[in-house]
Amino acid sequence: MKYALITGGSRGIGKAVCLKLSEMGFKVIINYLSNEGEAQKTLEEVRTAGGDGELLKFNVTDREACAAAIYEWQESHREDFIEVLVNNAGVRRDNLMLKMSEDDWDSVIGIHLGGFFNVTKPVLKQMLARRKGRIINMASLSGLKGVAGQCNYAAAKGGLISATRSLANEVGRKGITVNAVAPGYVRTDMTGDLNESELKKDIPLNRFGEAEEIAELVGFLASEKAGYITGECISINGGLYM
Ligand code: NAP
């Protein structure tokens, strides 16, 4: 059985990715932090669409909890392995530098960058043993161009893009590809507080993206067809660069 682990799979982009990968024939492991109801709903939608999966609750910032949950899963699935990992869990805690609290800095770096390390390391071990795998990291336009009020988020996403390239160099010869996806504005809970009608004026395609559109790109990178793409960061932002 092919398995895909999606961190932050309960809502937004992660949920759309769960549905897409399930449609492609993967059993999905839906990670979430606390929103059990939404995670359960995602699993039900996966099942209604003809797929299957399971929930795996852990905080991506908790190194020991990540390793324990993943190793426990591997123990109970001796014949299976996680072929696709989507590092997607994330939060925004925007503020201007002088007003940014230490907690806002630490938590955003911890979730996006620490989470990448904490989850990827235990999953990678098995990918290396099987000489097969796809790792897809959810970056952001912010990590490419920088955004006022997002020093923490941009630093985390920029770091994630660099880590993507480094890891791709490490594991390419072992049959594993590592890529990042950099969305612009996407309509999810995370952007619910933003004024779309104002912000869309700067977007050539004149709208926010949909989570399903990001999931299509993730699905492609997870597919056999993307076998010669690694170390890339692919933008998906409606033409918004400046
Ligand atoms: P969202 O709708 O707010 O969903 C966030 C998801 O992450 C939820 O499933 C949440 O779980 C999970 N999560 C948060 N902290 C976690 C933790 N410490 N451990 C485990 N899971 C955690 O966000 P989204 O808009 O879909 O964003 C998904 C990813 O895309 C993020 O990495 C974000 O930075 C990136 N992104 C988003 C946009 C955008 O415009 N939306 C643009 C560029 C990049 P619970 O449900 O349990 O809370």
PDB file of all heavy atoms in Angstrom, residues 8-14 31-35 38 58-61 88-91 111-112 138-141 153 157 183-186 188-191, ligand 1:
ATOM      1  N   GLY A   8      -0.453  18.962   9.055  1.00  0.00           N
ATOM      2  CA  GLY A   8      -1.489  19.988   8.916  1.00  0.00           C
ATOM      3  C   GLY A   8      -2.499  19.592   7.853  1.00  0.00           C
ATOM      4  O   GLY A   8      -2.913  20.421   7.035  1.00  0.00           O
ATOM      5  N   GLY A   9      -2.906  18.340   7.882  1.00  0.00           N
ATOM      6  CA  GLY A   9      -3.830  17.835   6.859  1.00  0.00           C
ATOM      7  C   GLY A   9      -5.301  18.032   7.208  1.00  0.00           C
ATOM      8  O   GLY A   9      -6.175  17.668   6.433  1.00  0.00           O
ATOM      9  N   SER A  10      -5.566  18.620   8.363  1.00  0.00           N
ATOM     10  CA  SER A  10      -6.967  18.731   8.796  1.00  0.00           C
ATOM     11  C   SER A  10      -7.731  19.839   8.099  1.00  0.00           C
ATOM     12  O   SER A  10      -8.949  19.775   7.969  1.00  0.00           O
ATOM     13  CB  SER A  10      -7.011  18.959  10.312  1.00  0.00           C
ATOM     14  OG  SER A  10      -6.133  20.000  10.679  1.00  0.00           O
ATOM     15  N   ARG A  11      -7.012  20.883   7.671  1.00  0.00           N
ATOM     16  CA  ARG A  11      -7.718  22.051   7.107  1.00  0.00           C
ATOM     17  C   ARG A  11      -6.949  22.620   5.919  1.00  0.00           C
ATOM     18  O   ARG A  11      -5.794  22.279   5.674  1.00  0.00           O
ATOM     19  CB  ARG A  11      -7.825  23.153   8.173  1.00  0.00           C
ATOM     20  CG  ARG A  11      -8.720  22.786   9.308  1.00  0.00           C
ATOM     21  CD  ARG A  11      -8.904  23.924  10.287  1.00  0.00           C
ATOM     22  NE  ARG A  11      -7.764  24.132  11.172  1.00  0.00           N
ATOM     23  CZ  ARG A  11      -7.098  25.269  11.293  1.00  0.00           C
ATOM     24  NH1 ARG A  11      -7.464  26.327  10.594  1.00  0.00           N
ATOM     25  NH2 ARG A  11      -6.073  25.373  12.115  1.00  0.00           N
ATOM     26  N   GLY A  12      -7.598  23.539   5.203  1.00  0.00           N
ATOM     27  CA  GLY A  12      -6.946  24.360   4.188  1.00  0.00           C
ATOM     28  C   GLY A  12      -6.219  23.583   3.109  1.00  0.00           C
ATOM     29  O   GLY A  12      -6.731  22.608   2.546  1.00  0.00           O
ATOM     30  N   ILE A  13      -5.003  24.018   2.825  1.00  0.00           N
ATOM     31  CA  ILE A  13      -4.210  23.418   1.746  1.00  0.00           C
ATOM     32  C   ILE A  13      -3.931  21.949   2.055  1.00  0.00           C
ATOM     33  O   ILE A  13      -4.020  21.087   1.178  1.00  0.00           O
ATOM     34  CB  ILE A  13      -2.890  24.209   1.553  1.00  0.00           C
ATOM     35  CG1 ILE A  13      -3.192  25.634   1.054  1.00  0.00           C
ATOM     36  CG2 ILE A  13      -1.964  23.486   0.572  1.00  0.00           C
ATOM     37  CD1 ILE A  13      -1.986  26.568   1.016  1.00  0.00           C
ATOM     38  N   GLY A  14      -3.602  21.667   3.320  1.00  0.00           N
ATOM     39  CA  GLY A  14      -3.295  20.284   3.703  1.00  0.00           C
ATOM     40  C   GLY A  14      -4.459  19.349   3.441  1.00  0.00           C
ATOM     41  O   GLY A  14      -4.286  18.217   2.972  1.00  0.00           O
ATOM     42  N   ASN A  31      -2.095  14.344   9.571  1.00  0.00           N
ATOM     43  CA  ASN A  31      -1.601  14.908  10.833  1.00  0.00           C
ATOM     44  C   ASN A  31      -2.352  16.209  11.138  1.00  0.00           C
ATOM     45  O   ASN A  31      -2.759  16.934  10.238  1.00  0.00           O
ATOM     46  CB  ASN A  31      -0.085  15.178  10.718  1.00  0.00           C
ATOM     47  CG  ASN A  31       0.386  16.190  11.757  1.00  0.00           C
ATOM     48  OD1 ASN A  31       0.607  17.353  11.449  1.00  0.00           O
ATOM     49  ND2 ASN A  31       0.497  15.768  12.995  1.00  0.00           N
ATOM     50  N   TYR A  32      -2.503  16.500  12.429  1.00  0.00           N
ATOM     51  CA  TYR A  32      -3.112  17.760  12.854  1.00  0.00           C
ATOM     52  C   TYR A  32      -2.599  18.082  14.246  1.00  0.00           C
ATOM     53  O   TYR A  32      -1.977  17.226  14.906  1.00  0.00           O
ATOM     54  CB  TYR A  32      -4.651  17.660  12.820  1.00  0.00           C
ATOM     55  CG  TYR A  32      -5.208  16.664  13.803  1.00  0.00           C
ATOM     56  CD1 TYR A  32      -5.797  17.087  14.998  1.00  0.00           C
ATOM     57  CD2 TYR A  32      -5.113  15.297  13.566  1.00  0.00           C
ATOM     58  CE1 TYR A  32      -6.297  16.173  15.911  1.00  0.00           C
ATOM     59  CE2 TYR A  32      -5.597  14.374  14.483  1.00  0.00           C
ATOM     60  CZ  TYR A  32      -6.184  14.824  15.652  1.00  0.00           C
ATOM     61  OH  TYR A  32      -6.655  13.912  16.565  1.00  0.00           O
ATOM     62  N   LEU A  33      -2.871  19.312  14.690  1.00  0.00           N
ATOM     63  CA  LEU A  33      -2.389  19.732  16.004  1.00  0.00           C
ATOM     64  C   LEU A  33      -3.451  19.512  17.079  1.00  0.00           C
ATOM     65  O   LEU A  33      -3.203  18.818  18.057  1.00  0.00           O
ATOM     66  CB  LEU A  33      -1.992  21.217  15.961  1.00  0.00           C
ATOM     67  CG  LEU A  33      -1.575  21.849  17.292  1.00  0.00           C
ATOM     68  CD1 LEU A  33      -0.316  21.199  17.829  1.00  0.00           C
ATOM     69  CD2 LEU A  33      -1.367  23.351  17.120  1.00  0.00           C
ATOM     70  N   SER A  34      -4.654  20.088  16.880  1.00  0.00           N
ATOM     71  CA  SER A  34      -5.672  20.016  17.942  1.00  0.00           C
ATOM     72  C   SER A  34      -7.095  19.905  17.413  1.00  0.00           C
ATOM     73  O   SER A  34      -8.001  19.572  18.163  1.00  0.00           O
ATOM     74  CB  SER A  34      -5.567  21.273  18.821  1.00  0.00           C
ATOM     75  OG  SER A  34      -5.742  22.408  18.004  1.00  0.00           O
ATOM     76  N   ASN A  35      -7.286  20.201  16.134  1.00  0.00           N
ATOM     77  CA  ASN A  35      -8.643  20.289  15.604  1.00  0.00           C
ATOM     78  C   ASN A  35      -9.144  18.920  15.131  1.00  0.00           C
ATOM     79  O   ASN A  35      -9.270  18.658  13.926  1.00  0.00           O
ATOM     80  CB  ASN A  35      -8.634  21.303  14.449  1.00  0.00           C
ATOM     81  CG  ASN A  35      -9.985  21.943  14.277  1.00  0.00           C
ATOM     82  OD1 ASN A  35     -11.011  21.310  14.545  1.00  0.00           O
ATOM     83  ND2 ASN A  35      -9.984  23.175  13.828  1.00  0.00           N
ATOM     84  N   GLU A  38     -12.124  18.710  12.546  1.00  0.00           N
ATOM     85  CA  GLU A  38     -11.803  18.989  11.133  1.00  0.00           C
ATOM     86  C   GLU A  38     -10.975  17.847  10.533  1.00  0.00           C
ATOM     87  O   GLU A  38     -11.146  17.491   9.376  1.00  0.00           O
ATOM     88  CB  GLU A  38     -11.042  20.316  11.013  1.00  0.00           C
ATOM     89  CG  GLU A  38     -11.892  21.542  11.288  1.00  0.00           C
ATOM     90  CD  GLU A  38     -13.104  21.677  10.367  1.00  0.00           C
ATOM     91  OE1 GLU A  38     -12.947  21.518   9.154  1.00  0.00           O
ATOM     92  OE2 GLU A  38     -14.217  21.917  10.885  1.00  0.00           O
ATOM     93  N   PHE A  58       0.033  14.940  16.162  1.00  0.00           N
ATOM     94  CA  PHE A  58       1.241  15.343  16.887  1.00  0.00           C
ATOM     95  C   PHE A  58       1.561  16.788  16.554  1.00  0.00           C
ATOM     96  O   PHE A  58       1.151  17.302  15.508  1.00  0.00           O
ATOM     97  CB  PHE A  58       2.447  14.418  16.593  1.00  0.00           C
ATOM     98  CG  PHE A  58       2.846  14.293  15.149  1.00  0.00           C
ATOM     99  CD1 PHE A  58       3.669  15.241  14.547  1.00  0.00           C
ATOM    100  CD2 PHE A  58       2.427  13.211  14.385  1.00  0.00           C
ATOM    101  CE1 PHE A  58       4.069  15.110  13.216  1.00  0.00           C
ATOM    102  CE2 PHE A  58       2.814  13.073  13.049  1.00  0.00           C
ATOM    103  CZ  PHE A  58       3.636  14.028  12.470  1.00  0.00           C
ATOM    104  N   ASN A  59       2.295  17.406  17.474  1.00  0.00           N
ATOM    105  CA  ASN A  59       2.714  18.788  17.271  1.00  0.00           C
ATOM    106  C   ASN A  59       4.072  18.750  16.555  1.00  0.00           C
ATOM    107  O   ASN A  59       5.041  18.210  17.098  1.00  0.00           O
ATOM    108  CB  ASN A  59       2.843  19.461  18.643  1.00  0.00           C
ATOM    109  CG  ASN A  59       3.175  20.935  18.521  1.00  0.00           C
ATOM    110  OD1 ASN A  59       3.693  21.393  17.511  1.00  0.00           O
ATOM    111  ND2 ASN A  59       2.871  21.680  19.573  1.00  0.00           N
ATOM    112  N   VAL A  60       4.143  19.339  15.379  1.00  0.00           N
ATOM    113  CA  VAL A  60       5.398  19.243  14.609  1.00  0.00           C
ATOM    114  C   VAL A  60       6.575  19.928  15.306  1.00  0.00           C
ATOM    115  O   VAL A  60       7.725  19.682  14.941  1.00  0.00           O
ATOM    116  CB  VAL A  60       5.249  19.788  13.155  1.00  0.00           C
ATOM    117  CG1 VAL A  60       4.237  18.998  12.359  1.00  0.00           C
ATOM    118  CG2 VAL A  60       4.947  21.288  13.137  1.00  0.00           C
ATOM    119  N   THR A  61       6.290  20.757  16.304  1.00  0.00           N
ATOM    120  CA  THR A  61       7.401  21.400  17.022  1.00  0.00           C
ATOM    121  C   THR A  61       7.979  20.494  18.116  1.00  0.00           C
ATOM    122  O   THR A  61       9.036  20.792  18.659  1.00  0.00           O
ATOM    123  CB  THR A  61       6.964  22.728  17.694  1.00  0.00           C
ATOM    124  OG1 THR A  61       5.979  22.432  18.680  1.00  0.00           O
ATOM    125  CG2 THR A  61       6.404  23.697  16.689  1.00  0.00           C
ATOM    126  N   ASN A  88       3.516  20.537   5.556  1.00  0.00           N
ATOM    127  CA  ASN A  88       2.569  21.610   5.246  1.00  0.00           C
ATOM    128  C   ASN A  88       2.103  22.393   6.475  1.00  0.00           C
ATOM    129  O   ASN A  88       1.683  23.535   6.343  1.00  0.00           O
ATOM    130  CB  ASN A  88       1.364  20.977   4.524  1.00  0.00           C
ATOM    131  CG  ASN A  88       0.184  21.898   4.447  1.00  0.00           C
ATOM    132  OD1 ASN A  88       0.131  22.787   3.598  1.00  0.00           O
ATOM    133  ND2 ASN A  88      -0.790  21.726   5.346  1.00  0.00           N
ATOM    134  N   ALA A  89       2.188  21.787   7.665  1.00  0.00           N
ATOM    135  CA  ALA A  89       1.650  22.441   8.872  1.00  0.00           C
ATOM    136  C   ALA A  89       2.233  23.843   9.008  1.00  0.00           C
ATOM    137  O   ALA A  89       3.428  24.046   8.810  1.00  0.00           O
ATOM    138  CB  ALA A  89       1.999  21.616  10.112  1.00  0.00           C
ATOM    139  N   GLY A  90       1.385  24.797   9.348  1.00  0.00           N
ATOM    140  CA  GLY A  90       1.919  26.148   9.483  1.00  0.00           C
ATOM    141  C   GLY A  90       0.963  27.116  10.137  1.00  0.00           C
ATOM    142  O   GLY A  90      -0.235  26.862  10.255  1.00  0.00           O
ATOM    143  N   VAL A  91       1.528  28.226  10.566  1.00  0.00           N
ATOM    144  CA  VAL A  91       0.750  29.324  11.148  1.00  0.00           C
ATOM    145  C   VAL A  91       1.372  30.647  10.690  1.00  0.00           C
ATOM    146  O   VAL A  91       2.508  30.678  10.231  1.00  0.00           O
ATOM    147  CB  VAL A  91       0.775  29.307  12.698  1.00  0.00           C
ATOM    148  CG1 VAL A  91       0.086  28.075  13.252  1.00  0.00           C
ATOM    149  CG2 VAL A  91       2.200  29.405  13.221  1.00  0.00           C
ATOM    150  N   ILE A 111       7.615  25.992  14.050  1.00  0.00           N
ATOM    151  CA  ILE A 111       6.627  25.175  13.337  1.00  0.00           C
ATOM    152  C   ILE A 111       7.101  24.888  11.904  1.00  0.00           C
ATOM    153  O   ILE A 111       7.109  23.740  11.460  1.00  0.00           O
ATOM    154  CB  ILE A 111       5.235  25.864  13.333  1.00  0.00           C
ATOM    155  CG1 ILE A 111       4.663  25.852  14.755  1.00  0.00           C
ATOM    156  CG2 ILE A 111       4.279  25.163  12.362  1.00  0.00           C
ATOM    157  CD1 ILE A 111       3.422  26.681  14.954  1.00  0.00           C
ATOM    158  N   HIS A 112       7.509  25.913  11.182  1.00  0.00           N
ATOM    159  CA  HIS A 112       7.828  25.711   9.764  1.00  0.00           C
ATOM    160  C   HIS A 112       9.195  25.051   9.557  1.00  0.00           C
ATOM    161  O   HIS A 112       9.320  24.128   8.764  1.00  0.00           O
ATOM    162  CB  HIS A 112       7.784  27.050   9.011  1.00  0.00           C
ATOM    163  CG  HIS A 112       6.429  27.673   9.018  1.00  0.00           C
ATOM    164  ND1 HIS A 112       5.486  27.410   8.066  1.00  0.00           N
ATOM    165  CD2 HIS A 112       5.841  28.534   9.890  1.00  0.00           C
ATOM    166  CE1 HIS A 112       4.372  28.084   8.337  1.00  0.00           C
ATOM    167  NE2 HIS A 112       4.567  28.772   9.444  1.00  0.00           N
ATOM    168  N   MET A 138       5.895  22.909   1.958  1.00  0.00           N
ATOM    169  CA  MET A 138       5.030  24.039   1.661  1.00  0.00           C
ATOM    170  C   MET A 138       5.738  25.327   2.070  1.00  0.00           C
ATOM    171  O   MET A 138       5.804  25.674   3.246  1.00  0.00           O
ATOM    172  CB  MET A 138       3.697  23.874   2.418  1.00  0.00           C
ATOM    173  CG  MET A 138       2.576  24.719   1.863  1.00  0.00           C
ATOM    174  SD  MET A 138       2.260  24.496   0.095  1.00  0.00           S
ATOM    175  CE  MET A 138       1.690  22.793   0.048  1.00  0.00           C
ATOM    176  N   ALA A 139       6.314  26.005   1.090  1.00  0.00           N
ATOM    177  CA  ALA A 139       6.995  27.276   1.359  1.00  0.00           C
ATOM    178  C   ALA A 139       5.985  28.402   1.154  1.00  0.00           C
ATOM    179  O   ALA A 139       4.790  28.244   1.431  1.00  0.00           O
ATOM    180  CB  ALA A 139       8.207  27.410   0.457  1.00  0.00           C
ATOM    181  N   SER A 140       6.435  29.526   0.641  1.00  0.00           N
ATOM    182  CA  SER A 140       5.526  30.664   0.421  1.00  0.00           C
ATOM    183  C   SER A 140       6.252  31.714  -0.412  1.00  0.00           C
ATOM    184  O   SER A 140       7.484  31.830  -0.359  1.00  0.00           O
ATOM    185  CB  SER A 140       5.143  31.274   1.771  1.00  0.00           C
ATOM    186  OG  SER A 140       4.553  32.543   1.586  1.00  0.00           O
ATOM    187  N   LEU A 141       5.466  32.503  -1.107  1.00  0.00           N
ATOM    188  CA  LEU A 141       6.017  33.651  -1.827  1.00  0.00           C
ATOM    189  C   LEU A 141       6.809  34.538  -0.866  1.00  0.00           C
ATOM    190  O   LEU A 141       7.850  35.104  -1.212  1.00  0.00           O
ATOM    191  CB  LEU A 141       4.852  34.441  -2.460  1.00  0.00           C
ATOM    192  CG  LEU A 141       5.204  35.755  -3.152  1.00  0.00           C
ATOM    193  CD1 LEU A 141       6.172  35.531  -4.315  1.00  0.00           C
ATOM    194  CD2 LEU A 141       3.933  36.443  -3.656  1.00  0.00           C
ATOM    195  N   TYR A 153       7.985  34.677   9.472  1.00  0.00           N
ATOM    196  CA  TYR A 153       7.420  33.758   8.468  1.00  0.00           C
ATOM    197  C   TYR A 153       8.330  33.677   7.230  1.00  0.00           C
ATOM    198  O   TYR A 153       8.610  32.593   6.724  1.00  0.00           O
ATOM    199  CB  TYR A 153       6.027  34.275   8.105  1.00  0.00           C
ATOM    200  CG  TYR A 153       5.188  33.389   7.230  1.00  0.00           C
ATOM    201  CD1 TYR A 153       4.477  32.314   7.774  1.00  0.00           C
ATOM    202  CD2 TYR A 153       5.070  33.635   5.868  1.00  0.00           C
ATOM    203  CE1 TYR A 153       3.672  31.519   6.968  1.00  0.00           C
ATOM    204  CE2 TYR A 153       4.272  32.848   5.054  1.00  0.00           C
ATOM    205  CZ  TYR A 153       3.572  31.793   5.610  1.00  0.00           C
ATOM    206  OH  TYR A 153       2.780  30.997   4.809  1.00  0.00           O
ATOM    207  N   LYS A 157      10.227  30.382   5.898  1.00  0.00           N
ATOM    208  CA  LYS A 157       9.962  29.839   4.556  1.00  0.00           C
ATOM    209  C   LYS A 157      11.214  29.913   3.668  1.00  0.00           C
ATOM    210  O   LYS A 157      11.460  29.021   2.861  1.00  0.00           O
ATOM    211  CB  LYS A 157       8.797  30.586   3.899  1.00  0.00           C
ATOM    212  CG  LYS A 157       7.450  30.383   4.604  1.00  0.00           C
ATOM    213  CD  LYS A 157       7.030  28.926   4.669  1.00  0.00           C
ATOM    214  CE  LYS A 157       5.546  28.758   4.987  1.00  0.00           C
ATOM    215  NZ  LYS A 157       5.163  27.363   5.180  1.00  0.00           N
ATOM    216  N   PRO A 183       3.226  29.062  -2.602  1.00  0.00           N
ATOM    217  CA  PRO A 183       1.973  29.741  -2.969  1.00  0.00           C
ATOM    218  C   PRO A 183       2.017  31.234  -2.634  1.00  0.00           C
ATOM    219  O   PRO A 183       2.732  31.666  -1.729  1.00  0.00           O
ATOM    220  CB  PRO A 183       0.919  29.052  -2.093  1.00  0.00           C
ATOM    221  CG  PRO A 183       1.587  27.854  -1.491  1.00  0.00           C
ATOM    222  CD  PRO A 183       3.041  28.174  -1.450  1.00  0.00           C
ATOM    223  N   GLY A 184       1.202  32.000  -3.371  1.00  0.00           N
ATOM    224  CA  GLY A 184       0.916  33.385  -2.981  1.00  0.00           C
ATOM    225  C   GLY A 184      -0.263  33.316  -2.015  1.00  0.00           C
ATOM    226  O   GLY A 184      -0.333  32.425  -1.176  1.00  0.00           O
ATOM    227  N   TYR A 185      -1.222  34.234  -2.169  1.00  0.00           N
ATOM    228  CA  TYR A 185      -2.400  34.207  -1.288  1.00  0.00           C
ATOM    229  C   TYR A 185      -3.345  33.070  -1.677  1.00  0.00           C
ATOM    230  O   TYR A 185      -3.714  32.947  -2.847  1.00  0.00           O
ATOM    231  CB  TYR A 185      -3.188  35.512  -1.410  1.00  0.00           C
ATOM    232  CG  TYR A 185      -2.451  36.733  -0.917  1.00  0.00           C
ATOM    233  CD1 TYR A 185      -2.035  37.719  -1.811  1.00  0.00           C
ATOM    234  CD2 TYR A 185      -2.195  36.920   0.432  1.00  0.00           C
ATOM    235  CE1 TYR A 185      -1.377  38.868  -1.371  1.00  0.00           C
ATOM    236  CE2 TYR A 185      -1.536  38.061   0.883  1.00  0.00           C
ATOM    237  CZ  TYR A 185      -1.128  39.022  -0.024  1.00  0.00           C
ATOM    238  OH  TYR A 185      -0.478  40.147   0.421  1.00  0.00           O
ATOM    239  N   VAL A 186      -3.725  32.266  -0.707  1.00  0.00           N
ATOM    240  CA  VAL A 186      -4.653  31.161  -0.947  1.00  0.00           C
ATOM    241  C   VAL A 186      -5.802  31.292   0.051  1.00  0.00           C
ATOM    242  O   VAL A 186      -5.571  31.600   1.234  1.00  0.00           O
ATOM    243  CB  VAL A 186      -3.952  29.794  -0.767  1.00  0.00           C
ATOM    244  CG1 VAL A 186      -4.915  28.655  -1.071  1.00  0.00           C
ATOM    245  CG2 VAL A 186      -2.715  29.701  -1.657  1.00  0.00           C
ATOM    246  N   THR A 188      -7.873  30.319   2.661  1.00  0.00           N
ATOM    247  CA  THR A 188      -7.988  29.313   3.733  1.00  0.00           C
ATOM    248  C   THR A 188      -8.238  30.063   5.051  1.00  0.00           C
ATOM    249  O   THR A 188      -8.257  31.301   5.059  1.00  0.00           O
ATOM    250  CB  THR A 188      -6.680  28.502   3.903  1.00  0.00           C
ATOM    251  OG1 THR A 188      -5.666  29.393   4.381  1.00  0.00           O
ATOM    252  CG2 THR A 188      -6.221  27.834   2.620  1.00  0.00           C
ATOM    253  N   ASP A 189      -8.337  29.332   6.138  1.00  0.00           N
ATOM    254  CA  ASP A 189      -8.482  29.982   7.451  1.00  0.00           C
ATOM    255  C   ASP A 189      -7.319  30.945   7.714  1.00  0.00           C
ATOM    256  O   ASP A 189      -7.490  31.986   8.344  1.00  0.00           O
ATOM    257  CB  ASP A 189      -8.485  28.928   8.574  1.00  0.00           C
ATOM    258  CG  ASP A 189      -9.717  28.040   8.512  1.00  0.00           C
ATOM    259  OD1 ASP A 189     -10.683  28.408   7.805  1.00  0.00           O
ATOM    260  OD2 ASP A 189      -9.715  26.975   9.166  1.00  0.00           O
ATOM    261  N   MET A 190      -6.132  30.568   7.219  1.00  0.00           N
ATOM    262  CA  MET A 190      -4.939  31.378   7.496  1.00  0.00           C
ATOM    263  C   MET A 190      -5.037  32.790   6.917  1.00  0.00           C
ATOM    264  O   MET A 190      -4.449  33.729   7.440  1.00  0.00           O
ATOM    265  CB  MET A 190      -3.697  30.672   6.930  1.00  0.00           C
ATOM    266  CG  MET A 190      -2.412  31.358   7.317  1.00  0.00           C
ATOM    267  SD  MET A 190      -0.961  30.543   6.664  1.00  0.00           S
ATOM    268  CE  MET A 190      -0.703  29.292   7.863  1.00  0.00           C
ATOM    269  N   THR A 191      -5.780  32.935   5.829  1.00  0.00           N
ATOM    270  CA  THR A 191      -5.877  34.248   5.180  1.00  0.00           C
ATOM    271  C   THR A 191      -7.262  34.867   5.389  1.00  0.00           C
ATOM    272  O   THR A 191      -7.599  35.856   4.750  1.00  0.00           O
ATOM    273  CB  THR A 191      -5.601  34.115   3.663  1.00  0.00           C
ATOM    274  OG1 THR A 191      -6.448  33.069   3.148  1.00  0.00           O
ATOM    275  CG2 THR A 191      -4.164  33.786   3.373  1.00  0.00           C
TER     276      THR A 191
HETATM  277  P1  NAP B   1      -4.613  26.631   7.766  1.00  0.00           P
HETATM  278  O1  NAP B   1      -5.855  26.533   6.960  1.00  0.00           O
HETATM  279  O2  NAP B   1      -4.545  27.618   8.873  1.00  0.00           O
HETATM  280  O3  NAP B   1      -4.270  25.158   8.339  1.00  0.00           O
HETATM  281  C1  NAP B   1      -3.132  24.991   9.115  1.00  0.00           C
HETATM  282  C2  NAP B   1      -2.933  23.518   9.366  1.00  0.00           C
HETATM  283  O4  NAP B   1      -1.691  23.320  10.076  1.00  0.00           O
HETATM  284  C3  NAP B   1      -4.021  22.885  10.225  1.00  0.00           C
HETATM  285  O5  NAP B   1      -4.243  21.580   9.771  1.00  0.00           O
HETATM  286  C4  NAP B   1      -3.389  22.870  11.626  1.00  0.00           C
HETATM  287  O6  NAP B   1      -3.902  21.839  12.473  1.00  0.00           O
HETATM  288  C5  NAP B   1      -1.947  22.576  11.255  1.00  0.00           C
HETATM  289  N1  NAP B   1      -0.981  22.957  12.270  1.00  0.00           N
HETATM  290  C6  NAP B   1      -0.699  24.191  12.740  1.00  0.00           C
HETATM  291  N2  NAP B   1       0.273  24.139  13.670  1.00  0.00           N
HETATM  292  C7  NAP B   1       0.624  22.829  13.788  1.00  0.00           C
HETATM  293  C8  NAP B   1       1.545  22.122  14.588  1.00  0.00           C
HETATM  294  N3  NAP B   1       2.345  22.763  15.454  1.00  0.00           N
HETATM  295  N4  NAP B   1       1.631  20.774  14.462  1.00  0.00           N
HETATM  296  C9  NAP B   1       0.840  20.119  13.595  1.00  0.00           C
HETATM  297  N5  NAP B   1      -0.066  20.731  12.798  1.00  0.00           N
HETATM  298  C10 NAP B   1      -0.173  22.071  12.912  1.00  0.00           C
HETATM  299  O7  NAP B   1      -3.351  26.963   6.845  1.00  0.00           O
HETATM  300  P2  NAP B   1      -3.160  26.904   5.249  1.00  0.00           P
HETATM  301  O8  NAP B   1      -3.479  28.236   4.706  1.00  0.00           O
HETATM  302  O9  NAP B   1      -3.806  25.698   4.701  1.00  0.00           O
HETATM  303  O10 NAP B   1      -1.567  26.756   5.183  1.00  0.00           O
HETATM  304  C11 NAP B   1      -0.930  25.504   4.978  1.00  0.00           C
HETATM  305  C12 NAP B   1       0.527  25.774   4.638  1.00  0.00           C
HETATM  306  O11 NAP B   1       0.595  26.578   3.452  1.00  0.00           O
HETATM  307  C13 NAP B   1       1.296  26.535   5.713  1.00  0.00           C
HETATM  308  O12 NAP B   1       2.617  26.036   5.805  1.00  0.00           O
HETATM  309  C14 NAP B   1       1.312  27.958   5.192  1.00  0.00           C
HETATM  310  O13 NAP B   1       2.406  28.678   5.694  1.00  0.00           O
HETATM  311  C15 NAP B   1       1.426  27.696   3.697  1.00  0.00           C
HETATM  312  N6  NAP B   1       0.970  28.822   2.877  1.00  0.00           N
HETATM  313  C16 NAP B   1      -0.304  29.268   2.962  1.00  0.00           C
HETATM  314  C17 NAP B   1      -0.698  30.340   2.168  1.00  0.00           C
HETATM  315  C18 NAP B   1      -2.087  30.898   2.212  1.00  0.00           C
HETATM  316  O14 NAP B   1      -2.305  31.962   1.602  1.00  0.00           O
HETATM  317  N7  NAP B   1      -3.041  30.250   2.843  1.00  0.00           N
HETATM  318  C19 NAP B   1       0.223  30.951   1.305  1.00  0.00           C
HETATM  319  C20 NAP B   1       1.522  30.460   1.244  1.00  0.00           C
HETATM  320  C21 NAP B   1       1.890  29.387   2.029  1.00  0.00           C
HETATM  321  P3  NAP B   1      -5.252  22.071  13.371  1.00  0.00           P
HETATM  322  O15 NAP B   1      -6.403  21.979  12.394  1.00  0.00           O
HETATM  323  O16 NAP B   1      -5.229  20.959  14.349  1.00  0.00           O
HETATM  324  O17 NAP B   1      -5.116  23.418  13.983  1.00  0.00           O
END
